[in-house]
Amino acid sequence: MTWIHFLLFAVFFSCTTGNDNSFSEESAVEVTLKPEVTYQEIHNFGASDAWSCQFVGNWPDEIKNRIADLLFSLEINEDGSPKGIGLSCWRFNIGAGSARQGNDSGIDDPWRRAESFLQDDDSYNWDKQSAQRWFLQAAEERGVETFIGFVNSPPVALTKNGKAHSDGGNSMNLTAENLPKFSEYLVEVIQNIQQNEGVLFDYLSPVNEPQWDWEGGQEGSPWKNSEIAQLCQILGNDLKNAGLSTQIEITEAGQLNHLYEAGNDAERGNQIREFFSPTSDNFVGDIPNMAHKIAGHSYFTTTNDEVLKEVRTKLRKEIEQVDPELEFSMSEFCILGDNDGFRGNGRDLGMETALFVANVIHADLTIANASAWHWWLAVSPYDYKDGLVYIDKNKTGGDIYESKLLWALGNYSRFVRPGATRISAEYPETSDLKISAFQNKNGELVTVVLNRGNSGKELKLNLPGSSKTGRIYETSEQNDLKYLSEFKIRDEIQIAPRSVTTLVWNQP
């Protein structure tokens, strides 16, 4: 070969191997599944109706139904691909009433103000939050199984300062005398929603990110651990006396480390031990209607793989030490902070955000043993990495924009169904892939494969005694949770570069 021929060959080889569709020449990554080795039960994957659904629920039927289908549908298109991502949990924001205060609310963005059923004269207006209630019904009609009512701030009619945000400090924006009224209000909301929408909240989350001072920007209130315990005592008995099965879910910690360490405030940290150790003054484990789980948000703990592993390992170990039966629910996440240069600013409909979030989901499920995983805004009007479906910021109508993140979450939510169990998936730690496996209650096996690299990979599944045929679904630059083909166990399966791939089949 002359040097000219050699140069041309080298250029050609460089171009082809750099192509996003190229596959690594390394030997196939072999994954051994062991359904007999089990971990946590997976209850659901979800998202919240804040803040946009208060307007989008009044948009033209065709558009809002399209959004509801994308979020909740379990139907299959003619090509075998899912119509939507089949969320199995929907979070309903029980608003505090800043919307009726307008500019006097201290919340500049009208989209972050919310209505409230409780009025200033202590009467109830059940016509409020009607657009959100539309989405509640849409979720129920499309098969969503779990519903959570969550509270950012007590109603302004009850707060200390008459606002839906705090004047500062680490204490609740509520007088102790109004704790029973707040509890009574929450019970009334649950009963009315059940009566009118036919939806009973499975869980009620009465406080949200109590570690922050919430001095403005959106509805919110700080809470000390002792105040949360006092509220739960009242609320648990009120739910029981009302004959409701709704369980209380706490504490929606603003960062996962607040669950196992003091963080920035000892009175608002160490929440696993504070609430679920019988030796704690704030123990709530024996309160009626108290869910035996702790909820936290993965914000600011996702800088890189090292941080992901460190934080979630500490979380899991704290639960094992305090109460091994206690569940952990990852109840809210979007991109916040600086993640080794990857930031929340700027809407991204592409794979970069989808891959980043899939990596967080994998860590939360496989290291922290999360039993549920919830995204923040199901529908976002913002130029930010906070939405599944994006919309024009228009209160009466507009266009919608699907994100790759929507479909990447669907690789989990559509196929890992409520009651599934995470099972062992053994593969080389040196592999660039990240793999998790689950078994649904109907015996179906699900394996989710994350490839953040620029080269495709070959994958082999090892499940002794199985010759079953399965189905492959892919989210990538080219595909939105698309059904690709059938496969057989021990086939070499091609995992595309920068993709999330789900393999589904029945156990023999």
Side-chain angles (χ1 to χ4, degrees), residues 12 36 82-83 159 172 194 251 263 313 338 343 418 477 492:
F12 173 79
E36 70 278 9
K83 185 176 183 179
T159 58
M172 62 184 179
Q194 181 183 25
T251 63
T313 299
D338 182 0
R343 296 178 175 85
E477 299 286 0
E492 287 197 357

Side-chain angles (χ1 to χ4, degrees), residues 383-502:
D383 185 21
Y384 207 86
K385 299 177 181 67
D386 59 359
L388 298 177
V389 177
Y390 285 88
I391 59 168
D392 293 331
K393 197 173 185 182
N394 187 313
K395 293 182 180 180
T396 59
D399 290 331
I400 64 175
Y401 312 90
E402 300 172 25
S403 70
K404 292 291 183 179
L405 170 58
L406 169 79
W407 298 110
L409 176 56
N411 280 86
Y412 294 91
S413 60
R414 179 60 182 80
F415 302 108
V416 183
R417 302 306 301 168
T421 301
R422 187 169 70 86
I423 64 172
S424 174
E426 296 181 355
Y427 59 98
E429 293 184 2
T430 56
S431 168
D432 292 335
L433 304 180
K434 294 188 177 179
I435 304 168
S436 54
F438 311 85
Q439 184 164 26
N440 285 320
K441 290 192 296 184
N442 63 2
E444 197 173 53
L445 291 176
V446 179
T447 299
V448 184
V449 183
L450 168 63
N451 181 11
R452 299 181 77 183
N454 292 319
S455 297
K457 301 289 182 181
E458 301 281 353
L459 182 77
K460 280 187 178 180
L461 288 174
N462 182 13
L463 184 62
S466 178
S467 60
K468 294 288 185 177
T469 298
R471 307 179 305 280
I472 304 175
Y473 302 87
E474 178 185 286
T475 299
S476 61
E477 299 286 0
Q478 293 76 29
N479 297 314
D480 295 334
L481 199 59
K482 184 179 180 180
Y483 167 68
L484 295 184
S485 64
E486 292 186 343
F487 73 94
K488 288 186 177 181
I489 302 297
R490 301 298 297 178
D491 280 352
E492 287 197 357
I493 301 166
Q494 291 190 338
I495 304 299
R498 296 172 56 78
S499 68
V500 187
T501 303
T502 300

Side-chain angles (χ1 to χ4, degrees), residues 84-250:
I85 68 169
L87 292 178
S88 46
C89 177
W90 187 237
R91 297 171 57 84
F92 179 92
N93 176 28
I94 302 174
S98 59
R100 68 173 176 265
Q101 297 178 322
N103 292 332
D104 293 335
S105 66
I107 299 172
D108 292 335
D109 184 357
W111 287 64
R112 290 180 179 264
R113 306 169 192 158
E115 294 181 336
S116 175
F117 300 113
L118 185 63
Q119 305 304 293
D120 291 334
D121 61 0
D122 290 338
S123 66
Y124 287 89
N125 183 346
W126 296 115
D127 292 330
K128 297 297 182 181
Q129 299 195 241
S130 60
Q132 290 174 245
R133 293 169 83 143
W134 184 91
F135 269 94
L136 200 64
Q137 292 177 329
E140 196 274 335
E141 291 168 359
R142 289 164 174 79
V144 172
E145 298 185 25
T146 300
F147 293 90
I148 299 174
F150 74 98
V151 180
N152 290 307
S153 164
V156 295
L158 301 179
T159 58
K160 290 177 182 176
N161 60 1
K163 305 291 184 183
H165 60 83
S166 173
D167 289 333
N170 66 357
S171 185
M172 62 184 179
N173 186 22
L174 193 70
T175 63
E177 292 76 15
N178 275 345
L179 277 172
K181 289 185 178 180
F182 181 36
S183 176
E184 177 187 347
Y185 158 76
L186 293 174
V187 171
E188 289 279 356
V189 170
I190 294 169
Q191 291 175 322
N192 186 269
I193 293 290
Q194 181 183 25
Q195 178 181 349
N196 288 283
E197 268 63 55
V199 173
L200 174 63
F201 289 136
D202 299 277
Y203 298 98
L204 174 67
S205 173
V207 302
N208 179 69
E209 298 187 342
Q211 291 81 15
W212 312 139
D213 293 346
W214 294 113
E215 296 182 71
Q218 64 185 58
E219 295 188 346
S221 172
W223 291 79
K224 295 179 183 179
N225 291 337
S226 58
E227 295 168 340
I228 295 173
Q230 187 179 0
L231 171 63
C232 289
Q233 186 69 59
I234 298 169
L235 182 57
N237 284 291
D238 284 351
L239 290 168
K240 178 183 178 182
N241 292 336
L244 292 167
S245 61
T246 303
Q247 292 186 299
I248 304 168
E249 178 179 278
I250 56 174

